[in-house]
């Protein structure tokens, strides 16, 4: 009780806004990660969730790299959000969604240019060197898009 009395009233408002922001941005981050996963799944031949659950090593590697790259974009989108909480939420959503689209499109373009048949790669039960190339492309392009947001 002494601690509560020692802190002025503005502290409790600051604390409340911070807690609210954490909860809201956690929801936004989760939503954007789900959208990112859906975008990867939508643009990848086959059912990615089933391949990951089946433990296909290339599907797991590429999906993990894709999710990590999405996290880079989302973290930076949230970090650079500015202004009021509402402005921050809107800019995080806009930058996050556009970043996810740019990243997925860029990876698919890179696969096309290099001639990687992603469908064959991810459905293979044996690790494929091309999976490492696609995974690296996900991470690299995720970083590039994240920095572009910054």
């Amino acid at each position: 009780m002494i601690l509560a009395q020692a802190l002025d009233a503005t502290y409790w408002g600051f604390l409340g806004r911070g807690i609210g922001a954490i909860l809201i941005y956690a929801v936004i981050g989760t939503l954007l990660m789900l959208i990112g996963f859906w975008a990867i799944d939508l643009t990848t031949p086959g059912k990615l969730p089933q391949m990951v659950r089946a433990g296909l090593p290339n599907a797991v590697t590429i999906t993990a790299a894709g999710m990590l790259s999405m996290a880079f974009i989302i973290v930076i989108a949230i970090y650079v959000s500015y202004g009021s909480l509402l402005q921050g939420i809107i800019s995080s959503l806009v930058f996050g969604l556009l970043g996810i689209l740019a990243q997925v499109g860029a990876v698919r373009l890179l696969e096309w240019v290099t001639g990687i048949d992603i469908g064959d790669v991810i459905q293979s039960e044996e690790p494929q060197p091309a999976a490492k190339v696609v995974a690296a492309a996900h991470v690299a392009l995720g970083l590039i898009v994240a920095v572009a947001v910054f």
Side-chain angles (χ1 to χ4, degrees), residues 49-116:
Q50 293 172 353
M51 290 184 271
V52 169
R53 281 193 301 273
L56 294 177
N58 303 307
V60 170
T61 297
I62 291 169
T63 301
M67 297 310 296
L68 182 61
S69 70
M70 297 297 164
F72 294 149
I73 295 166
I74 294 163
V75 166
I76 295 299
I78 291 171
Y79 179 75
V80 301
S81 62
Y82 61 92
S84 70
L85 184 57
L86 180 59
Q87 289 173 326
I89 290 167
I90 292 168
S91 63
S92 294
L93 286 169
V94 170
F95 292 150
L97 289 171
L98 288 176
I100 287 168
L101 290 174
Q103 195 270 340
V104 170
V107 169
R108 296 301 169 234
L109 178 62
L110 184 66
E111 290 168 357
W112 178 72
V113 168
T114 59
I116 294 173

Side-chain angles (χ1 to χ4, degrees), residues 111-135:
E111 290 168 357
W112 178 72
V113 168
T114 59
I116 294 173
D117 184 343
I118 193 64
D120 286 345
V121 171
I122 62 170
Q123 293 177 21
S124 174
E125 293 187 12
E126 298 297 321
Q128 301 290 315
K132 293 177 184 174
V133 172
V134 174

